[in-house]
Amino acid sequence: AHVLHRDISIGNIMIKVVEEGEESGKVIGVLIDWDLCKHLTAKPLSSRHHERTGTWAFMSVGLVEGSDQHTRRDDAESFYHVLNYIASR
């Protein structure tokens, strides 16, 4: 969809198990809270953005260290941190 979420965290993922119908038992996950998202096809308003977005515990290492660009890899790494968090609990 060419959109970066930019705040992937445990609080922004909803998981539900379908209880009725022919898909009973199927697990559905939904990513919510899209107010910080950024469209990759949109042109930036300025050449540099100095905003830091995301939930600290699930941010990618690059963003924590001060990277100016939020990329798909950063969102993927945030998913990895959420998975580690869930698995360790």
Side-chain angles (χ1 to χ4, degrees):
H2 302 287
V3 177
L4 293 175
H5 187 275
R6 301 190 325 157
D7 189 18
I8 296 170
S9 66
I10 192 72
N12 290 337
I13 299 174
M14 293 176 51
I15 299 174
K16 177 183 178 182
V17 178
V18 177
E19 296 177 2
E20 298 178 6
E22 58 185 59
E23 295 189 353
S24 180
K26 182 177 180 181
V27 178
I28 297 173
V30 179
L31 190 57
I32 62 170
D33 193 15
W34 289 85
D35 58 338
L36 295 176
C37 76
K38 179 180 178 183
H39 295 273
L40 293 175
T41 56
K43 301 222 185 239
L45 298 174
S46 67
S47 60
R48 273 183 111 172
H49 294 279
H50 293 287
E51 61 191 60
R52 179 180 283 182
T53 61
T55 303
W56 183 261
F58 303 104
M59 287 174 70
S60 70
V61 173
L63 291 174
V64 170
E65 290 179 346
S67 174
D68 289 337
Q69 292 279 333
H70 193 116
T71 65
R72 283 183 254 175
R73 285 185 179 194
D74 296 314
D75 274 3
E77 186 176 333
S78 292
F79 272 116
Y80 176 75
H81 293 310
V82 169
L83 180 64
N84 267 342
Y85 176 82
I86 292 170
S88 65
R89 295 209 56 173

